[in-house]
């Protein structure tokens, strides 16, 4: 396969689930993490070396130096604003680390999850209406993941380029002096610190960009399946009617049905309801499979998402306390992650609600009693909205996003009042 063919697979022209999972698995291998059992080759040694160097840069700058600067250096200088800015950097950068630790701890379950999604996708008949509707949603899902990846990585690029494009010697944060490199603006200290900070930024941005993209894709697939299933429900009765027209038995050489006019309605009713019964059982299986898949996602990621929410809230509060004029490049990084998690959860809820509405609107009043009972069971199950949560504490949705914003603003105003006294 040529290099250009490989690169093209990362574009919107390839929106099938196996390719999208290959995309994110390929990117995660740079973190020495293999989440796809289809990959049999070992991760190259160079990836381990690069990852170790970048991770070491991150831990030195954004953990060790951050703690020293906030708890010791800033107390000596009395610069509270600098302490808030540096603290926000260290806290917000922990998001990717927390997610990576979870991915490593649950890597076997993550691989099982990937296999389960691939097995589910293998049951989709190519070229069918269900497959076409699923692909339409998956295109939007991949677009969502790409936008998130570009914003997070682009934020890191701008953060690194800003001091390079500013006259004189500057760092990403001029208020921040790493431990052991004073005077920091003299050579070779300046060059070493800049490289360490750049490595830390790469680590901070690359982790959440790719790990969250993986979560967007797998939950987006469930969203796509539920929306495609909703279309099937809405077309169920018309499909049954068409099935009867396509499968009536005719006399040889005539266009008249073998059955008499009196018995044709009974035969039609039987054939139509047999078709409906078969399709309903298939839809129940698809619905149940997606519920189970989402439960697996919830079990693996709920702790990581809860930690992420806590870190983001604290980080955003410190960013506001440090002043937007000092943290205007950090705020989009944090807000984008919180907003994308909530958007992902909201899309799953919306797709689940669309399926519930479709079950009710599938013209079930035309079905026989047995199929009506099946519809009643499906309606009861569909009313249990599929959702993702942050550690079981709050559901990921637009309502949760607004609640987070209110909590951040309330905490910020309280702490700002205390600081000004």
């Amino acid at each position: 396969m040529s290099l250009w063919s490989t690169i093209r697979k990362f574009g919107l022209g390839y929106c099938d689930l196996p390719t999208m999972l290959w995309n994110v698995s390929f990117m995660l291998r740079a973190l020495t993490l293999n989440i796809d059992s289809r990959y049999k080759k070992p991760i190259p040694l160079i990836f381990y070396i690069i990852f170790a160097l970048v991770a070491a840069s991150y831990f030195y700058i954004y953990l060790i130096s951050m703690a020293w600067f906030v708890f010791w250096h800033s107390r000596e200088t009395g610069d509270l604003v600098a302490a808030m800015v540096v603290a926000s950097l260290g806290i917000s950068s922990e998001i990717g680390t927390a997610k990576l630790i979870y991915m490593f701890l649950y890597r076997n379950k993550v691989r099982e999850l990937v296999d389960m999604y691939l097995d589910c996708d293998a049951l989709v008949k190519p070229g069918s209406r269900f497959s076409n509707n699923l692909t339409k949603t998956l295109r939007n899902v991949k677009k969502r993941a790409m936008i998130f990846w570009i914003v997070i990585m682009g934020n890191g690029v701008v953060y690194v380029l800003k001091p390079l494009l500013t006259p004189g010697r500057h760092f990403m944060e001029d208020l921040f002096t790493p431990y052991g490199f004073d005077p920091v603006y003299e050579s070779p200290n300046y060059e070493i610190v800049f490289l360490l900070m750049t490595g830390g930024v790469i680590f901070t941005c690359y982790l959440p960009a790719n790990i969250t993209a993986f979560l967007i894709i797998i939950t987006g697939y469930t969203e796509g399946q539920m929306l495609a299933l909703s279309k099937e429900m809405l077309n169920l009765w018309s499909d049954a009617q068409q099935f009867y027209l396509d499968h009536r038995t005719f006399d040889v050489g005539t266009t008249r049905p073998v059955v008499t006019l009196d018995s044709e309605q009974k035969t039609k009713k039987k054939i139509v309801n047999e078709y409906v019964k078969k399709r309903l059982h298939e839809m129940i299986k698809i619905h149940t499979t997606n519920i189970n898949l989402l439960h697996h996602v919830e079990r693996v990621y709920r702790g990581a998402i809860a930690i992420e929410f806590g870190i983001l809230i604290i980080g955003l509060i410190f960013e506001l306390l440090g002043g937007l004029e000092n943290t205007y490049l950090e705020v989009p990084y944090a807000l984008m992650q919180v907003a994308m998690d909530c958007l992902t959860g909201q899309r799953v809820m919306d797709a689940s609600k669309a399926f519930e509405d479709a079950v009710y609107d599938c013209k079930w009043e035309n079905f026989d009693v047995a199929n009506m009972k099946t519809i009643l069971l499906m309606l009861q199950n569909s009313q249990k909205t599929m959702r993702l949560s942050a550690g079981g504490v709050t559901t990921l949705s637009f309502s949760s996003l607004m609640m987070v914003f209110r909590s951040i603003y309330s905490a910020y105003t309280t702490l700002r009042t205390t600081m000004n006294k």
Side-chain angles (χ1 to χ4, degrees):
M1 184 182 296
S2 67
L3 178 61
W4 177 240
S5 298
T6 302
I7 294 174
R8 284 181 61 194
K9 286 194 173 184
F10 286 90
L12 291 175
Y14 296 84
C15 299
D16 57 289
L17 181 67
T19 301
M20 290 197 295
L21 286 176
W22 173 83
N23 292 160
V24 73
S25 298
F26 180 86
M27 302 300 286
L28 287 173
R29 284 172 71 83
L31 301 175
T32 68
L33 182 63
N34 182 16
I35 63 168
D36 195 339
S37 59
R38 294 176 296 174
Y39 270 116
K40 302 301 181 182
K41 294 182 179 180
I43 297 173
L45 178 61
I46 187 65
F47 285 178
Y48 286 95
I49 295 174
I50 294 173
F51 177 73
L53 291 173
V54 173
S57 300
Y58 162 76
F59 281 106
Y60 182 80
I61 294 295
Y62 290 106
L63 285 181
I64 297 173
S65 293
M66 183 274 292
W68 169 78
F69 187 93
V70 172
F71 296 108
W72 280 277
H73 184 74
S74 62
R75 292 176 64 181
E76 295 176 356
T77 61
D79 192 344
L80 189 58
V81 172
M84 294 295 105
V85 172
V86 175
S88 70
L89 283 171
I91 294 169
S92 297
S93 68
E94 291 295 327
I95 299 167
T97 307
K99 285 186 172 181
L100 184 63
I101 291 173
Y102 257 84
M103 291 287 280
F104 270 112
L105 289 176
Y106 293 98
R107 58 186 178 276
N108 291 329
K109 290 186 177 181
V110 172
R111 289 192 195 109
E112 290 176 9
L113 190 61
V114 170
D115 290 339
M116 290 169 65
Y117 269 96
L118 289 172
D119 290 342
C120 178
D121 186 66
L123 299 176
V124 178
K125 184 180 178 180
S128 63
R129 182 177 60 208
F130 184 91
S131 175
N132 293 336
N133 288 325
L134 175 60
T135 301
K136 289 178 184 178
T137 304
L138 290 182
R139 181 180 175 83
N140 292 328
V141 169
K142 188 167 187 177
K143 188 184 299 182
R144 197 183 307 160
M146 289 174 65
I147 291 172
F148 176 80
W149 194 92
I150 291 170
V151 169
I152 296 299
M153 294 301 294
N155 186 268
V157 171
V158 173
Y159 194 62
V160 171
L161 289 179
K162 184 190 72 169
L164 294 177
L165 299 176
T166 304
R169 287 191 168 188
H170 296 276
F171 293 108
M172 295 76 173
E173 291 295 341
D174 287 327
L175 299 172
F176 184 21
T177 302
Y179 177 74
F181 283 95
D182 198 26
V184 74
Y185 287 100
E186 293 184 5
S187 296
N189 288 357
Y190 172 78
E191 288 79 7
I192 295 173
V193 169
F194 197 91
L195 286 174
L196 290 175
M197 285 188 171
T198 301
V201 171
I202 293 172
F203 187 88
T204 300
C205 294
Y206 192 84
L207 267 65
N210 291 285
I211 295 174
T212 302
F214 171 68
L215 186 62
I216 292 170
I217 288 170
I218 58 174
T219 55
Y221 185 80
T222 295
E223 172 197 342
Q225 285 247 335
M226 296 309 299
L227 291 176
L229 196 58
S230 301
K231 297 288 186 181
E232 296 301 306
M233 285 297 306
L234 292 173
N235 287 285
L236 179 58
W237 182 246
S238 59
D239 288 346
Q241 299 295 311
Q242 188 61 47
F243 178 82
Y244 171 72
L245 294 175
D246 294 341
H247 292 80
R248 282 190 300 178
T249 304
F250 292 92
D251 284 328
V252 177
T254 73
T255 58
R256 293 177 301 162
V258 172
V259 294
T260 65
L261 185 61
D262 292 337
S263 62
E264 185 174 1
Q265 289 301 319
K266 291 182 180 179
T267 304
K268 178 180 179 180
K269 184 176 181 180
K270 180 180 179 181
I271 293 174
V272 166
N273 278 286
E274 281 295 326
Y275 176 85
V276 169
K277 178 182 178 181
K278 179 183 177 182
R279 294 289 290 125
L280 286 178
H281 287 173
E282 292 173 355
M283 292 178 187
I284 289 173
K285 183 177 180 181
I286 295 172
H287 185 212
T288 304
T289 299
N290 279 279
I291 290 173
N292 291 334
L293 286 172
L294 200 65
H295 284 168
H296 277 79
V297 174
E298 174 81 1
R299 282 195 290 270
V300 172
Y301 279 98
R302 63 186 299 178
I305 295 174
I307 293 173
E308 175 192 2
F309 257 59
I311 291 173
L312 284 170
I313 290 172
I314 297 171
L316 281 166
I317 292 171
F318 275 90
E319 286 166 13
L320 293 174
L321 290 173
L324 288 175
E325 68 277 7
N326 299 316
T327 60
Y328 62 91
L329 286 178
E330 300 171 43
V331 173
Y333 170 84
L335 284 180
M336 185 64 177
Q337 294 188 68
V338 124
M340 185 54 70
D341 283 342
C342 290
L343 174 62
T344 300
Q346 184 67 49
R347 291 297 188 215
V348 171
M349 292 174 61
D350 291 344
S352 180
K353 185 63 171 62
F355 178 68
E356 178 191 342
D357 294 341
V359 172
Y360 190 78
D361 293 336
C362 69
K363 299 182 180 178
W364 53 266
E365 63 273 10
N366 297 313
F367 301 168
D368 62 15
V369 175
N371 285 331
M372 283 184 181
K373 289 180 179 179
T374 303
I375 288 293
L376 178 60
L377 178 63
M378 292 180 69
L379 187 60
Q380 290 173 338
N381 289 333
S382 64
Q383 287 174 341
K384 300 173 183 177
T385 305
M386 300 166 68
R387 64 190 70 209
L388 292 169
S389 71
V393 177
T394 183
T395 300
L396 298 182
S397 64
F398 291 150
S399 299
S400 298
L401 183 60
M402 293 301 103
M403 182 187 69
V404 168
F405 287 163
R406 286 196 299 268
S407 300
I408 291 171
Y409 183 73
S410 298
Y412 162 71
T413 53
T414 302
L415 290 172
R416 174 57 70 185
T417 302
T418 303
M419 291 171 60
N420 291 337
K421 288 183 178 179

